[in-house]
Amino acid sequence: MADKTYLDLRIRKTRKAIRNAFIDLLAEKELNKISINAITLKAEINRATFYLHYKDINDLIDSILDDLLADLKKILIDKFEESYKPGDELTSLILLLEHIAENSHMYKVLLVTKNIPYFTPKLMDLLYELILTTTEQQSIQKTEDFLTVDTPSDIAAWYGTSAIIGTISMWLGNDMPYTPKYLAERIIQLNPFIPANNKKI
């Protein structure tokens, strides 16, 4: 049992080194200019070790994105499959931003440099699913300062997804000048599709 635990830890440590090396290189250059040799050199492993874990760079990318999106799904979606109550969207948004802050180097590379262009659409799909779930479970209307207008949930989800992704990208690009909690509260307050009684912070 001890041997298996040691092996698992060693595997995780090696994969983390490979992924960190890849992300560091991605921050410096375009994807098509990154080689396996450069990754192994930066991770301080040999090519044979790389191939023990990944078939090629595309397999490495798929693994990184799958793990990130699985983490995000656990934070954002799973909770709402169990139950929903007003105010949960703020809690989930804070958890999302805290997760991104803890992994800011990786997310900055993926969202700001856009050197892996298909990450953002995958993240947008996940957020769209979350926002659509919440907007379908609450009354969607403009704030009480405007005329009450019913808004189709898909339009609200399109708007919310684009606004959140854009705001997070700018936040990361400016070195996160606000805390995750503060930013989450401001995003909720600015969202015109959340009823006013759900915006109280």
Side-chain angles (χ1 to χ4, degrees), residues 118-137:
Y118 44 89
F119 173 71
T120 300
K122 285 177 180 287
L123 179 57
M124 291 186 80
D125 286 344
L126 188 65
L127 284 173
Y128 176 82
E129 183 183 348
L130 168 71
I131 294 169
L132 194 63
T133 300
T134 59
T135 55
E136 284 178 345
Q137 295 184 64

Side-chain angles (χ1 to χ4, degrees), residues 15 19 54 62-72 99:
R15 288 184 177 173
R19 291 181 178 201
Y54 305 104
D62 288 342
S63 178
I64 291 172
L65 297 190
D66 286 347
D67 285 351
L68 276 180
L69 292 168
D71 287 343
L72 291 172
H99 168 77

Side-chain angles (χ1 to χ4, degrees), residues 25 30 36 39 95 99 107 128 141 155 199:
L25 289 167
E30 294 177 5
I36 289 175
I39 295 171
L95 290 174
H99 168 77
Y107 280 102
Y128 176 82
Q141 57 184 220
I155 293 177
K199 293 188 176 196

Side-chain angles (χ1 to χ4, degrees), residues 23-40:
I23 292 296
D24 287 346
L25 289 167
L26 198 60
E28 301 166 5
K29 58 183 73 177
E30 294 177 5
L31 177 60
N32 60 9
K33 294 180 180 177
I34 298 175
S35 66
I36 289 175
N37 192 52
I39 295 171
T40 57

Side-chain angles (χ1 to χ4, degrees), residues 102-192:
E102 288 168 5
N103 301 277
S104 59
H105 179 54
M106 183 175 295
Y107 280 102
K108 191 170 185 177
V109 170
L110 294 173
L111 284 174
V112 180
T113 68
K114 294 182 170 59
N115 280 344
I116 301 182
Y118 44 89
F119 173 71
T120 300
K122 285 177 180 287
L123 179 57
M124 291 186 80
D125 286 344
L126 188 65
L127 284 173
Y128 176 82
E129 183 183 348
L130 168 71
I131 294 169
L132 194 63
T133 300
T134 59
T135 55
E136 284 178 345
Q137 295 184 64
Q138 60 179 307
S139 173
I140 308 302
Q141 57 184 220
K142 302 232 177 186
T143 63
E144 58 190 11
D145 294 330
F146 296 89
L147 292 175
T148 299
V149 180
D150 289 337
T151 303
S153 56
D154 56 350
I155 293 177
W158 293 337
Y159 174 90
T161 300
S162 298
I164 290 172
I165 293 295
T167 301
I168 290 173
S169 296
M170 294 298 292
W171 179 57
L172 286 168
N174 286 280
D175 298 321
M176 300 180 296
Y178 304 106
T179 66
K181 183 175 184 293
Y182 181 85
L183 183 61
E185 290 171 348
R186 301 292 80 76
I187 289 172
I188 292 296
Q189 286 186 330
L190 288 169
N191 186 354

